[in-house]
Amino acid sequence: MKTLLLAVIALALIIIPLSNRTASGASPKKVVVVSYAPVLNTPDFAGSFSGKVQLDPCRGVRPIEFVALPGTLFSVEGEQEQNGVKVLRVTSSDYPYPSKTGLFVDARFVEAAGPAAQERRPHLPEQVEIQKRLLAALGKPYVWGGNVKDGVPLLRRYYPQGDPLSGVDCSGLLYQATDGFTPRNTSTLIGYGEAVAVAGLSAEAIAAKLRPLDLLVWNGHVMVVLDENSIIESRMGCGGKPSGVMITPRLELVRQIMKTRKPADSFPKGSAGARSFVVRRWFPAGGR
């Protein structure tokens, strides 16, 4: 009986993930971001930022998930060393999106969190400040997973030959302008805030309905109404197309979108989503 009991216990220890156990059976430890911290979908930080690999989303080289802001709290699920770099496998409520390979952060970008540590509480800036920050990113390059327009200082220190991630992707443009208040992924932005009724309307009618900070979005790309006249976005720009953060007149951009997509009041499921876009109004009525 004793032998059988020991075998059952041993089997249970194998089944329970090691990353979720400590010697005392306590919950996973917490760490907090001390400076901007790139979060990857691979533990190979040394390879990704060696300078030998071009992080080219157009060719499918997309190791960056997002850049965590200072104060972001992570739960540590495990740790390992790869190519001389200690890497933590983490989860965070700031980025609740699934990754088949997991989420990883260089241990030098975080520090142990105290027992009373709380989740980061983003503060939504005033409308004028958000518009100012959006405009300040104009001309910055498109960076997959980027949301720090001037790059990550610690990347320059620890990986001087690598890409410092100076630039933003489409949702990262909005994320950096709102101090991480808005969702970091278009899969959430398609239902964020309230719907603006645009189904069946002409480009002219839709353009007339738009208000500053409204989102024109589909699952894969988002554009932000900057002001009464223009829309700002960060385009990937593969195949020689324009890339980076750019501004387009409001009506002109709506007409461009409607050449390939139809306006909808809610983003449709399935294949219909590949031919649709929605307008979402998320900023408080009357501004702040």
Side-chain angles (χ1 to χ4, degrees):
M1 179 65 70
K2 182 177 181 181
T3 302
L4 178 60
L5 179 60
L6 290 175
V8 171
I9 293 173
L11 180 61
L13 290 175
I14 293 173
I15 295 174
I16 300 173
L18 179 61
S19 59
N20 287 331
R21 299 199 316 270
T22 65
S24 62
S27 300
K29 69 177 182 179
K30 305 282 187 177
V31 295
V32 63
V33 175
V34 294
S35 181
Y36 297 109
V39 178
L40 276 58
N41 51 36
T42 170
D44 190 12
F45 274 75
S48 299
F49 296 110
S50 65
K52 299 178 181 179
V53 176
Q54 183 180 3
L55 306 181
D56 185 353
C58 295
R59 295 189 298 111
V61 185
R62 305 171 177 178
I64 316 300
E65 290 288 325
F66 82 118
V67 179
L69 303 182
T72 299
L73 194 66
F74 289 124
S75 294
V76 179
E77 297 188 327
E79 62 181 61
Q80 65 185 85
E81 185 172 309
Q82 185 159 340
N83 295 323
V85 177
K86 182 180 177 181
V87 178
L88 306 178
R89 179 169 178 154
V90 297
T91 59
S92 173
S93 61
D94 269 20
Y95 195 80
Y97 308 105
S99 170
K100 293 180 180 179
T101 54
L103 300 176
F104 301 88
V105 65
D106 185 321
R108 294 171 294 185
F109 290 69
V110 298
E111 64 183 13
Q118 297 182 343
E119 299 287 346
R120 185 180 66 87
R121 295 181 179 179
H123 172 73
L124 181 64
E126 301 285 339
Q127 176 179 315
V128 173
E129 178 62 21
I130 295 174
Q131 291 169 308
K132 179 181 177 181
R133 294 180 186 185
L134 289 169
L135 192 57
L138 185 63
K140 292 292 182 178
Y142 180 96
V143 172
W144 182 277
N147 49 259
V148 183
K149 66 180 180 62
D150 295 321
V152 179
L154 288 183
L155 280 176
R156 293 188 172 94
R157 178 191 301 179
Y158 296 126
Y159 303 98
Q161 305 302 318
D163 190 331
L165 305 182
S166 299
V168 296
D169 61 20
C170 62
S171 59
L173 172 66
L174 179 64
Y175 192 79
Q176 61 91 31
T178 63
D179 275 340
F181 186 92
T182 48
R184 188 56 186 86
N185 207 315
T186 57
S187 62
T188 302
L189 289 172
I190 56 174
Y192 187 57
E194 298 180 356
V196 176
V198 293
L201 297 183
S202 66
E204 290 77 9
I206 293 173
K209 273 194 164 192
L210 298 178
R211 297 179 185 172
L213 302 185
D214 282 354
L215 308 179
L216 289 81
V217 59
W218 58 84
N219 196 358
H221 190 56
V222 62
M223 296 146 282
V224 187
V225 178
L226 181 62
D227 51 35
E228 298 298 330
N229 302 308
S230 57
I231 296 174
I232 191 168
E233 62 180 317
S234 184
R235 292 187 185 181
M236 190 185 304
C238 300
K241 297 178 181 178
S243 177
V245 182
M246 62 191 70
I247 289 176
T248 307
R250 178 187 295 191
L251 179 56
E252 178 182 332
L253 186 54
V254 176
R255 284 173 173 166
Q256 288 179 12
I257 296 170
M258 292 182 66
K259 289 179 180 179
T260 56
R261 292 179 176 270
K262 294 182 178 180
D265 292 343
S266 61
F267 197 75
K269 297 180 180 180
S271 60
R275 302 184 301 275
S276 305
F277 74 96
V278 293
V279 177
R280 305 297 301 188
R281 181 162 295 153
W282 63 275
F283 198 76
R288 293 184 65 253

